[in-house]
Amino acid sequence: MIDDLFSPQSIAIIGASRDEEKIGNVILKNLIASGYPGKVYPVNPSTPEILGIKCYHSIVEIKAPLTLAIIVLPARMVPESVDNCIKSGVRFIIIISGGFSETGPAGNALSDEIYSLISKSGTRLIGPNTVGLYLPYSKVNTTLTSYERVSFPPPGNIGFISQSGALGLLTMDAISEYGIGISAFVNLGNRLDLDEADFLDFFESDINTRSVAMYMESVRGGRAFYERIRKFNRKKPLVILKAGRTEQSARAASLHTGAMATNDSIFDGMLSQAGSVRAYDETELMDYAKVLAYSKQMHGNRIAILTTAGGVGVISTDYVSDTQYIKPLQMASLSDETKQEIMKVIVPYGSAQNPIDLTADGSVDDYDRVLEILEGDSGVDGVLVYALPQTPKMGMGIVDVVEKHMESGKPMVVGVLGYKIAKQLLVEFEKRKIPAFPSVSRSVKSLRALYTYSVSRGEIQ
């Protein structure tokens, strides 16, 4: 049933407005700007039309079947509106409004009233206190921020679930800069009805989703949640950013979404046993989801590093070999045969040790030949390749080379440092679904995430 929410045939906006500064106006504009192909019904008793679209006094006046209703009204008016939606046969409701369980006893009473109505009906609810959905494949955007203020990602392969609407919006804005796509974004808000487990059900079978990134401030139904994510990880990778780890931040989460505090060490152990990868900020969340969506599994932790910049190779070696920081990766010991073959490719003053330094004289063809040699070394489980456009013989052809070896060879992550041409390279890697990152630490951490998930996938089968 929830599948229908991701391709709604019709949408009503209760609280639609002609005022450009009001959320009801922004949501209507976003639905139009996103190219939503279904029927839109603005609802406002004070005006006959908004943006040239006929406006209805009440949702009960709409006689056509309604898949989704978005409520943008003051909290005290929401229960009556929910009741009218149920009577009109609306299948799904999104309550954008805040002022419920996150505000105290009065808000709790309103939440209880709404839940009483929903629980006796077949209508399902997202929120309250949410920005709703962004569905690029269905061209649905119910968020409250306009396209003038935020960039929204193109269709892609990462499912994104968040308890925070603002964090979801800023994260989508950031990844759009490099063309990173998502399959769907869902903001849960206060989770009065539908929660993360319901949406994991959808993403598990969704053909467009290869991994899921989830931001949480609390967990409810601990044992059931554990079983659900464990089952999910058997099929697809799930990356979780859980906030509220300290007493102070747990208090902030309670004020934000009404979240209950969770013992973080217990939560951490649960994630590990369930096979999920944990992220600690929004950048890690999307980096890990990306590498897991685009890569084959990596069944060993021995890493070869290939670069044209000695300093970058040394820094990367620090990260990989530091047992206290990014464990459990380790530097691969290249075989003598591998080193001899590499020496035939590189200049005499280069290094065939690991990290492999082609020096600034290294060309795209050199990368091609060295990567082919590394494919044959059984002591290498994964490769960190640096595509550094500042060196004179590096060109866009490196994308073709890496793509070829990703398909036939070992798991691979690409580091692309700098800005002027580096951004073009990152965007091109993204178009080919090659995991590329703009820093040493993000590249190495993503390799660790790939290895961690690969190991847990084997353990939880």
Side-chain angles (χ1 to χ4, degrees):
M1 175 186 175
I2 200 171
D3 290 15
D4 295 338
L5 175 63
F6 287 81
S7 53
Q9 300 302 304
S10 55
I11 301 175
I13 306 172
I14 304 171
S17 174
R18 297 172 67 96
D19 187 340
E20 294 185 351
E21 295 186 352
K22 292 197 171 180
I23 293 171
N25 181 274
V26 175
I27 293 173
L28 180 57
K29 282 183 176 176
N30 279 353
L31 280 173
I32 295 170
S34 63
Y36 172 62
K39 185 71 175 176
V40 178
Y41 299 93
V43 177
N44 186 325
S46 303
T47 182
E49 61 83 21
I50 302 174
L51 298 174
I53 303 174
K54 177 184 175 182
C55 199
Y56 292 80
H57 284 200
S58 167
I59 196 163
V60 297
E61 292 182 4
I62 303 170
K63 301 307 177 186
L66 285 168
T67 310
L68 174 63
I70 304 164
I71 299 178
V72 194
L73 296 172
R76 59 184 166 73
M77 300 173 67
V78 171
E80 181 182 356
S81 184
V82 168
D83 191 32
N84 286 336
C85 287
I86 293 170
K87 290 173 179 172
S88 299
V90 174
R91 300 183 64 190
F92 299 96
I93 298 171
I94 296 174
I95 300 177
I96 304 288
S97 320
F100 296 91
S101 60
E102 76 278 12
T103 61
N108 276 325
L110 288 172
S111 294
D112 291 344
E113 188 176 353
I114 294 168
Y115 183 75
S116 176
L117 292 167
I118 288 291
S119 61
K120 299 173 194 168
S121 74
T123 301
R124 304 303 304 269
L125 170 70
I126 302 177
N129 190 24
T130 176
V131 302
L133 305 169
Y134 171 65
L135 311 174
Y137 284 103
S138 302
K139 299 181 178 179
V140 173
N141 186 347
T142 76
T143 65
L144 49 76
T145 304
S146 70
Y147 281 85
E148 286 74 31
R149 287 181 176 273
V150 173
S151 293
F152 290 91
N157 303 117
I158 300 171
F160 188 11
I161 302 171
S162 177
Q163 276 184 249
S164 167
L167 186 120
L169 288 169
L170 68 87
T171 301
M172 289 194 291
D173 192 18
I175 65 173
S176 298
E177 184 71 13
Y178 296 98
I180 299 168
I182 64 170
S183 56
F185 166 70
V186 181
N187 176 209
L188 300 171
N190 292 4
R191 301 179 298 179
L192 187 59
D193 179 29
L194 292 170
D195 64 14
E196 54 276 349
D198 296 297
F199 292 106
L200 285 176
D201 288 344
F202 168 79
F203 284 124
E204 185 174 322
S205 58
D206 177 41
I207 59 172
N208 295 316
T209 302
R210 296 183 189 171
S211 71
V212 169
M214 184 156 65
Y215 169 73
M216 308 182 69
E217 293 182 357
S218 69
V219 176
R220 64 185 185 193
R223 184 69 193 182
F225 177 76
Y226 165 75
E227 295 293 348
R228 184 64 195 87
I229 64 173
R230 191 169 190 269
K231 176 175 175 287
F232 187 89
N233 280 307
R234 290 192 187 110
K235 191 167 183 181
K236 296 178 181 178
L238 172 63
V239 183
I240 295 180
L241 168 57
K242 165 68 172 58
R245 291 183 286 124
T246 68
E247 183 179 339
Q248 290 87 352
S249 60
R251 190 179 307 119
S254 175
L255 294 171
H256 181 211
T257 59
M260 299 294 289
T262 306
N263 184 305
D264 194 66
S265 60
I266 293 174
F267 183 82
D268 199 53
M270 178 183 70
L271 283 194
S272 179
Q273 290 184 35
S276 286
V277 174
R278 186 166 191 178
Y280 288 90
D281 59 40
E282 78 285 359
T283 302
E284 290 185 358
L285 180 68
M286 300 312 291
D287 281 356
Y288 299 168
K290 182 169 84 165
V291 74
L292 292 170
Y294 297 170
S295 304
K296 63 183 77 172
Q297 292 184 44
M298 187 169 76
H299 295 293
N301 63 350
R302 299 165 298 179
I303 306 301
I305 298 170
L306 176 58
T307 180
T308 52
V312 171
V314 174
I315 297 169
S316 302
T317 303
D318 263 341
Y319 276 113
V320 173
S321 59
D322 186 341
T323 56
Q324 299 301 313
Y325 186 57
I326 303 189
K327 57 183 179 183
L329 299 181
Q330 61 175 289
M331 295 294 286
S333 297
L334 305 182
S335 69
D336 291 340
E337 182 182 356
T338 294
K339 286 185 274 192
Q340 289 167 8
E341 290 299 313
I342 291 174
M343 285 303 297
K344 296 175 184 175
V345 175
I346 65 177
V347 293
Y349 48 89
S351 173
Q353 305 295 321
N354 191 17
I356 303 158
D357 184 6
L358 302 179
T359 77
D361 196 60
S363 68
V364 171
D365 287 342
D366 294 339
Y367 273 86
D368 190 12
R369 286 185 284 174
V370 173
L371 286 172
E372 189 169 348
I373 294 166
L374 291 175
E375 282 183 25
D377 192 323
S378 60
V380 175
D381 299 309
V383 183
L384 173 54
V385 181
Y386 282 103
L388 305 175
Q390 298 82 7
T391 50
K393 295 183 179 179
M394 176 60 66
M396 297 299 285
I398 188 65
V399 181
D400 295 329
V401 168
V402 172
E403 184 178 39
K404 179 180 78 172
H405 290 284
M406 269 198 71
E407 291 174 357
S408 62
K410 301 174 188 294
M412 204 172 297
V413 160
V414 183
V416 185
L417 312 187
Y419 184 76
K420 192 169 185 179
I421 301 176
K423 185 181 175 185
Q424 296 174 33
L425 269 173
L426 284 164
V427 171
E428 192 58 35
F429 278 121
E430 182 59 36
K431 288 178 182 174
R432 311 281 187 95
K433 306 299 181 190
I434 296 169
F437 304 94
S439 83
V440 172
S441 65
R442 289 173 64 180
S443 302
V444 177
K445 286 179 178 179
S446 296
L447 266 173
R448 177 186 59 181
L450 178 58
Y451 174 65
T452 300
Y453 176 73
S454 300
V455 171
S456 66
R457 178 74 179 264
E459 291 174 348
I460 64 174
Q461 293 298 329

